[in-house]
Amino acid sequence: MKSLKALSFAAAAAVSVNAQAEQFWADNSFTLLYGNDYELMGEATTLTIEHVSGHSWGDLFLFVDRHEAENDFSEIYGEVSPRFKLSEATFGPVNNVYAAYTYEYNNHTFGGQSNHLYGAGVDLKVPGAAFFQANVYYADNSETSSDEQLTIVYGFPFKTGSVEWMFDGYADFSTGQADHAADSHINPQLRANVGKFFGMEKSKLELGVEYSYWNNKFGIKGVEESAFSALIKYHL
């Protein structure tokens, strides 16, 4: 409960900062995923509520997942990730430099944790990308030894005929410690915007697939996930 309150406080603080600065853009969405080959979970359904926005002070990403699995495993997982702009200078492929922070929270059938990640990030200019970010963190973990993490976030829009597509996702690479193995989680999505075929003009409906490759899942040595999920995503 304390961690849930902390997650709410972090989100409220980020929203408070938003209210005091200029917002350039924002996107809010709901995603429903279904897959049947998740390691340690088997068949699972996930509902995700997501917000991402850009501001004069930096950017903000936050989401909450609700997982329900066939083996009676359930989980609420959330992140609040503001990045505060330190420099707009452009040098080489680097576009902006940020101070980065992430608060992670999860509460599941077997327990939970809350982690604070402190670090720095950059926007990178990559041909064809709508966005491409790299962030490095020191992770202060509540239930395991602290470690370091590299997070890469990307998005590549493209079109085939009249269909608009988005290929995006993230990759997390965490170092290991005596009580957990180093792990890597690569999680891309491919989505087609089908909303316009249903007359949607002010909102967007996407259908697609997600792939999850997770080596040493949850930091458990030898647990490897390779799973596809079907998804539907609605942007407000």
Side-chain angles (χ1 to χ4, degrees):
M1 182 60 70
K2 290 182 179 179
S3 296
L4 184 57
K5 289 181 179 178
L7 178 61
S8 300
F9 177 79
V15 171
S16 177
V17 171
N18 293 351
Q20 301 173 32
E22 184 180 359
Q23 178 175 285
F24 300 137
W25 56 270
D27 181 65
N28 300 288
S29 62
F30 296 88
T31 303
L32 185 64
L33 297 102
Y34 169 79
N36 60 8
D37 198 25
Y38 292 104
E39 196 66 27
L40 303 179
M41 293 194 300
E43 181 180 352
T45 301
T46 301
L47 173 65
T48 299
I49 302 172
E50 185 176 283
H51 167 88
V52 60
S53 51
H55 308 263
S56 55
W57 53 266
D59 54 40
L60 173 65
F61 175 65
L62 63 90
F63 72 92
V64 176
D65 284 341
R66 173 67 180 184
H67 302 291
E68 292 287 345
E70 64 175 342
N71 61 358
D72 295 325
F73 175 87
S74 63
E75 178 187 36
I76 294 176
Y77 177 84
E79 291 186 11
V80 180
S81 299
R83 299 193 309 162
F84 302 94
K85 192 176 296 183
L86 299 177
S87 172
E88 295 183 353
T90 298
F91 49 96
V94 175
N95 206 28
N96 296 301
V97 179
Y98 301 85
Y101 168 75
T102 293
Y103 176 73
E104 301 176 334
Y105 162 77
N106 78 334
N107 187 352
H108 56 75
T109 304
F110 307 108
Q113 63 181 357
S114 58
N115 307 324
H116 298 271
L117 284 67
Y118 309 94
V122 293
D123 291 336
L124 298 173
K125 294 177 288 186
V126 175
F131 58 90
F132 199 104
Q133 305 170 0
N135 305 288
V136 291
Y137 296 99
Y138 170 78
D140 182 8
N141 302 317
S142 68
E143 303 301 317
T144 60
S145 297
S146 299
D147 55 24
E148 293 77 40
Q149 178 174 307
L150 167 66
T151 297
I152 297 171
V153 182
Y154 55 87
F156 291 86
F158 63 96
K159 292 184 68 175
T160 55
S162 60
V163 181
E164 299 171 348
W165 296 84
M166 173 60 82
F167 176 72
D168 63 9
Y170 68 89
D172 286 336
F173 304 93
S174 296
T175 59
Q177 296 291 342
D179 59 353
H180 64 277
D183 71 278
S184 56
H185 189 195
I186 300 171
N187 200 196
Q189 291 185 353
L190 178 63
R191 307 185 307 274
N193 178 14
V194 299
K196 65 180 182 179
F197 301 115
F198 297 97
M200 294 182 179
E201 296 182 359
K202 296 183 178 181
S203 58
K204 184 165 65 173
L205 180 67
E206 296 176 306
L207 299 178
V209 294
E210 177 182 278
Y211 176 66
S212 174
Y213 173 75
W214 200 340
N215 182 47
N216 296 335
K217 185 174 182 178
F218 300 140
I220 303 173
K221 185 69 174 178
V223 176
E224 184 170 310
E225 176 174 276
S226 179
F228 285 94
S229 299
L231 71 87
I232 180 169
K233 186 170 187 174
Y234 176 69
H235 300 257
L236 302 178

